[in-house]
Each structure stands twice: as structure tokens, then as C-alpha cells.
């Protein structure tokens, strides 16, 4: 209703916005029921989110920025990771950049948009990128942001490659 990021909370089948007070219930057929206007179901909600994100990334000044913790493979094994540092990730129309520490040294990792498809993610946990034989996992302070990093990176790639 208010369009704020990361303000929805849920408990059981109840959904509430902590900013504007919007409330809805999820019925047994996974439809939203509310006194207020809202999407009919998850598919409509997702489509509305994509429309909003597309309008954000079409602004030439678009950027996402977050403090993150960096993890890298431990002993070269992708399934085992170790904390390598902390810094800031920025996603914009040029790609993804991490500026911070990496194994005790100051580092800048750049991933140009033309070399990215999209950031993979685990909802509420992390987003990650593979670059050649390298793998980087980023955990933002507010882990709810992970899906937005993923979707914006995907939409930027679609725009970059003219597939809109």
C-alpha cells in the first residue's frame, strides 16, 4: 500500500506493514484478503514488484548500496566458505562493485554488467556471484534485501542485453 521496502511482517496467515498499518490475511487458496486494495495473490504481488523495480533501474542514477560481509571458498571448495572481510556492495547500471577487506587486505572487486547474468541468492540469507573460477558470497546487514539484489541484477541484465 505505502510502497516501503522491507516493512512487511507475517505471523501465520496474517500480513502487516509496520510503516502504514496495511493488513491482509492469506486464505486457504493462497489469495490475499484485505479491507484495502491489494494484489489478489502472490503472482500479482510479484508482477507489481517487478514493475516497481523496472522503473527504479530505468533511472540512470539507480544504485543499490549495502554494507556486507564477504565470504569466499575455504580451501578452494565452493561448499565450504570462510569469512574474508567486510565492506560495501554497490549495484548500478555498470555492474556490481565490492569495496572492503578481503583476507586482511583492502580490495575492490568489480563485476561489469556485461559479464553478469544475475546474482544468485538464498532468500533472507545471502547473494552471490561466480566469476570465472572465483566465487563470492555477500551477506548484507539487512538480509531481507537479498531478493531485491537478485531481481535488480536480473532486470539490469535484461535491459543491458535489450531483452525488455
Amino acid at each position: 500500500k505505502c510502497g516501503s521496502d522491507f516493512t512487511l511482517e507475517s505471523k501465520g496467515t496474517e500480513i502487516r506493514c509496520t510503516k502504514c498499518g496495511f493488513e491482509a490475511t492469506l486464505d486457504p487458496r493462497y489469495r490475499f484478503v484485505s479491507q484495502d486494495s491489494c494484489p489478489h495473490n502472490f503472482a500479482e504481488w510479484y508482477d507489481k514488484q517487478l514493475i516497481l523495480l523496472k522503473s527504479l533501474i530505468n533511472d540512470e542514477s539507480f544504485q543499490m548500496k549495502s554494507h556486507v560481509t564477504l565470504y569466499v571458498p575455504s580451501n578452494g571448495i565452493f561448499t565450504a566458505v570462510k569469512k574474508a572481510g567486510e565492506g560495501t556492495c554497490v549495484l548500478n547500471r555498470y555492474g556490481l562493485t565490492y569495496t572492503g577487506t578481503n583476507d586482511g587486505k583492502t580490495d575492490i572487486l568489480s563485476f561489469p554488467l556485461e559479464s553478469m547474468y544475475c546474482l544468485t541468492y538464498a532468500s533472507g540469507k545471502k547473494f552471490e556471484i561466480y566469476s570465472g573460477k572465483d566465487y563470492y558470497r555477500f551477506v548484507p546487514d539487512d538480509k531481507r534485501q537479498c531478493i531485491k539484489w537478485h531481481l535488480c541484477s536480473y532486470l539490469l541484465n535484461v535491459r543491458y542485453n535489450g531483452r525488455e
Side-chain angles (χ1 to χ4, degrees):
K1 179 176 163 181
C2 68
S4 296
D5 278 344
F6 315 118
T7 58
L8 290 180
E9 292 182 344
S10 65
K11 184 173 183 181
T13 59
E14 303 296 317
I15 301 163
R16 182 177 180 280
C17 176
T18 58
K19 184 166 184 180
C20 70
F22 167 80
E23 292 182 349
T25 302
L26 196 59
D27 77 9
R29 295 183 58 110
Y30 296 97
R31 296 175 297 202
F32 297 115
V33 178
S34 177
Q35 298 291 331
D36 296 308
S37 175
C38 71
H40 182 69
N41 54 34
F42 285 112
E44 280 185 22
W45 179 83
Y46 182 81
D47 290 344
K48 287 182 182 231
Q49 293 299 308
L50 284 182
I51 290 167
L52 176 66
L53 292 176
K54 282 179 187 177
S55 70
L56 290 176
I57 66 151
N58 285 332
D59 181 339
E60 295 302 314
S61 65
F62 166 79
Q63 85 168 10
M64 287 185 66
K65 185 175 185 178
S66 181
H67 180 267
V68 297
T69 303
L70 170 67
Y71 292 85
V72 296
S74 178
N75 299 323
I77 302 170
F78 283 173
T79 56
V81 294
K82 64 178 181 174
K83 180 179 175 181
E86 292 185 26
T88 302
C89 271
V90 174
L91 177 67
N92 59 30
R93 64 190 182 112
Y94 302 107
L96 177 72
T97 303
Y98 167 82
T99 305
T101 56
N102 186 355
D103 283 333
K105 299 175 187 159
T106 301
D107 199 0
I108 297 175
L109 303 171
S110 294
F111 309 95
L113 194 57
E114 60 267 15
S115 70
M116 291 174 47
Y117 175 67
C118 71
L119 301 169
T120 58
Y121 79 104
S123 188
K125 294 184 179 181
K126 64 188 177 195
F127 60 91
E128 31 192 40
I129 190 165
Y130 296 83
S131 179
K133 294 181 180 181
D134 296 321
Y135 161 77
Y136 302 94
R137 176 182 293 176
F138 303 101
V139 178
D141 290 347
D142 184 346
K143 295 177 184 76
R144 297 174 297 177
Q145 296 177 359
C146 295
I147 183 68
K148 188 173 182 182
W149 283 86
H150 164 73
L151 289 173
C152 286
S153 68
Y154 170 74
L155 292 170
L156 283 165
N157 180 279
V158 166
R159 180 176 169 226
Y160 176 83
N161 287 300
R163 296 180 288 139
E164 290 186 90

